[in-house]
């Protein structure tokens, strides 16, 4: 399946089931609060593989809409120390 990718701020996303899937984070911020929507479209319930891979993240805040973190979502984020969940903690793949 081919996706049409869009850019909004520091995020590259595609639309699936009327939700924005945050495919890639292109920013260089160390502290990030994941948006609830991009370009007026609600963010999907999962964080895809390698969405934040190899970024300088030290801390990320996830809203209660995130239900699943895919494998390797934070691969290579050697400085990541804190993931804050607002609402219930999502299911996390073993290698996320």
């Amino acid at each position: 399946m081919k996706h049409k990718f869009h850019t909004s701020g520091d995020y590259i996303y595609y639309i699936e089931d009327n939700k924005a899937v945050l495919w890639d984070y292109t920013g260089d911020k160390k502290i990030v609060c994941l948006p609830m929507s991009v370009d007026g479209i609600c963010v999907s319930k999962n964080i895809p593989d390698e969405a934040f891979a190899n970024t300088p993240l030290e801390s990320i805040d996830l809203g209660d809409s995130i239900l699943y973190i895919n494998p390797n979502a934070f691969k290579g984020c050697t400085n990541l120390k804190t993931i804050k969940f607002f609402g219930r903690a999502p299911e996390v793949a073993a290698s996320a």
Side-chain angles (χ1 to χ4, degrees):
M1 173 195 307
K2 289 188 176 185
H3 300 290
K4 180 179 179 185
F5 290 94
H6 309 271
T7 301
S8 179
D10 291 333
Y11 299 95
I12 297 173
Y13 71 95
Y14 63 89
I15 299 171
E16 182 175 84
D17 298 328
N18 297 316
K19 302 279 186 183
V21 178
L22 299 180
W23 180 254
D24 194 16
Y25 174 73
T26 59
D28 60 0
K29 296 178 181 84
K30 293 181 180 182
I31 299 172
V32 171
C33 182
L34 198 70
M36 297 294 286
S37 66
V38 290
D39 295 337
I41 304 164
C42 290
V43 169
S44 73
K45 297 178 180 184
N46 70 60
I47 297 176
D49 292 338
E50 300 190 15
F52 290 89
N54 302 308
T55 61
L57 282 179
E58 292 179 2
S59 176
I60 186 167
D61 296 350
L62 303 177
D64 60 359
S65 66
I66 300 298
L67 300 178
Y68 186 75
I69 300 174
N70 281 283
N72 300 312
F74 299 102
K75 179 181 178 180
C77 292
T78 57
N79 295 319
L80 183 60
K81 295 178 180 85
T82 306
I83 299 176
K84 294 179 187 173
F85 304 110
F86 296 95
R88 71 176 190 86
E91 182 179 343
V92 180
S95 60

